[in-house]
Amino acid sequence: MAATSTSPVCFSALYFMNMRGDVLLERTYRDDVTRTMATAFKTEIINGREHHSRNSTSTGLQTPVVNLGACTFMYKRVQNVYIVAVTRANANAVMAFSFIDALVELLKQYFGKVTEHSLKQNFVVVYELLDEILDFGFPQITSAAVLQSFITQKAVRQSLGGKNGETSSYHAAAKAKEVSMQVTGAVQWRSPGLVYKKNEVYLDIVESISVLISPSGSVLRSSATGVIQMKCFLSGMPAPPDSIPSRSFN
């Protein structure tokens, strides 16, 4: 019997819902689901949980991954908001919740607390972020340091006490002048403005050979593995060449 393969995280839709099940914000990334999925989550999960709590004395917790028909719902409650991810694929649940956690931290970086009130006040910022962090349902950039370099929309920030703070921008005027690269060139693992006197790249190829030999001397099993280690001294964000001349290697 063939094992069921697990695909990477692939969201069909993402919903932000309040405790009553009303959709605050939504973004559909694929056409394999409709708005009725939000209604199904409200009926089966939110209303079902309230009915269970009123008519049962058990304290069992409901699983955060629920299959309804052909769709899988993965959700997390933050304050008075449900963040619900819907997919029809056999997605990796651990990666999905890692992305949801990263999304929550990203929203906190922009406007302090993730609540129904803060989402309504900053819906423009949230929609801009949802367009950048997911591409056709696949997670992309979730680093606040990178996203704040090209999403300069002001946000209404909430303090940790729950009171509204003053409107603040996460991009200073000095930094705004430095934003020249496009979204595809913004990476969180490389700082801008790197300059070296000489552009050099050092490559080390490290190989390891494993052999299993029987007492008679015959090879039972053998394998070879290896890694390529790179040390880079390149200025800025240079484009890689199509090929490397052989004379470049010592």
Side-chain angles (χ1 to χ4, degrees), residues 32-33 37 67-73 86-90:
D32 55 356
V33 297
M37 294 297 101
N67 292 321
L68 296 178
C71 293
T72 301
F73 294 81
V86 186
T87 180
R88 295 179 69 92
N90 185 24

Side-chain angles (χ1 to χ4, degrees), residues 190 194-202 231-236 238 248 250:
R190 187 171 178 85
L194 293 177
V195 178
Y196 297 96
K197 293 183 178 180
K198 187 177 181 181
N199 289 334
E200 295 178 327
V201 174
Y202 295 92
K231 195 169 185 180
C232 177
F233 297 95
L234 297 177
S235 301
S248 300
N250 295 327

Side-chain angles (χ1 to χ4, degrees), residues 10 17 33 75 81 91 139 171 190-191 193 199 208-209 212 237 239:
C10 177
M17 307 175 69
V33 297
Y75 64 94
V81 174
H171 199 68
R190 187 171 178 85
S191 302
N199 289 334
S208 177
I209 300 177
L212 181 62
M237 184 67 69

Side-chain angles (χ1 to χ4, degrees), residues 34-54:
T34 61
R35 181 68 179 272
T36 57
M37 294 297 101
T39 305
F41 181 83
K42 174 182 178 180
T43 303
E44 300 294 334
I45 306 301
I46 298 180
N47 294 344
R49 172 177 290 183
E50 293 177 355
H51 177 77
H52 177 77
S53 62
R54 289 194 302 264

